[in-house]
Amino acid sequence: MIDAQTLSGPIDIAAIRNVRRWSPGACVWCGDDNAVEMFRNEPRCGTCREKESVIDEARRFLGMYGLRPLGGTLQSDDDEEREHRVNARDARRELNEMKLAELPDPAAVRKALRPRAASVVSEPRSTAHSGTSSASASTRPSTSRTSATPPVAPVRTDAVDVAALETRVTGLLDQLSAIDAQMNLIGEPAGLAARARISDLEKQRATVLRTLAALEKARIAAGQ
């Protein structure tokens, strides 16, 4: 029998939080599926991206003026610095409150992202196929030509290796995931060694992104 005392018992927030699970297409941090877009090579919802942007803005401000990094005390030299520190602290607290009790396996996230990588190179396949068909049709001698007219030589075209391009894109996405995982593991760099490691990872990430941009140009060129 359920009595009034049972119904009016305290709500177990932790139990409710544990119910939430990540699913493909949802935010990897909080599990929300509202306004999900790629952020730092991960699907994140609009709320999470907004909070992360507040923290990034505070970091940029402190770094621009050579101020003490975020974390710990809110001690500041002026009101503007304190405002950035307070906003970043509040954003981090809200992110921690939204965080899933169990974050998704990075391998599962990468697997869910693979269709996006495949879509990058899906269009050139159909384009290359239609181009090959057109080229084959153009090499066939017309019935109106006389027997003395030699057939037109086939035109050679340099086609992009679609399979190799797809493999390269997928591998780069995996590499980006590994780099981001290491950066998240380090978190706020507290020492010179950690800062040096973060700087090195950021350089690696920039190199991978430039390579992805070059592959995108190759895809566009193949589609023309």
Side-chain angles (χ1 to χ4, degrees), residues 80-175:
E80 186 176 7
E81 178 186 350
R82 180 175 177 80
E83 180 181 359
H84 279 287
R85 292 187 183 278
V86 170
N87 291 341
R89 179 201 60 184
D90 294 344
R92 175 55 60 191
R93 184 184 66 249
E94 293 176 16
L95 283 171
N96 289 336
E97 292 174 353
M98 297 161 52
K99 183 179 180 181
L100 291 170
E102 182 179 354
L103 294 179
D105 184 359
V109 177
R110 290 195 298 269
K111 183 177 180 181
L113 290 175
R114 290 185 191 278
R116 297 173 63 93
S119 65
V120 173
V121 293
S122 60
E123 294 182 3
R125 290 188 175 184
S126 58
T127 305
H129 178 72
S130 61
T132 304
S133 301
S134 301
S136 300
S138 64
T139 59
R140 298 172 185 169
S142 174
T143 55
S144 62
R145 294 173 182 166
T146 62
S147 59
T149 304
V152 179
V155 178
R156 297 183 60 184
T157 58
D158 295 328
V160 175
D161 189 341
V162 177
L165 184 61
E166 180 177 356
T167 301
R168 187 76 184 280
V169 170
T170 303
L172 288 171
L173 286 176
D174 291 344
Q175 188 175 348

Side-chain angles (χ1 to χ4, degrees), residues 186-199:
I186 295 174
E188 289 288 342
L192 293 177
R195 293 179 185 176
R197 180 57 178 161
I198 285 291
S199 177

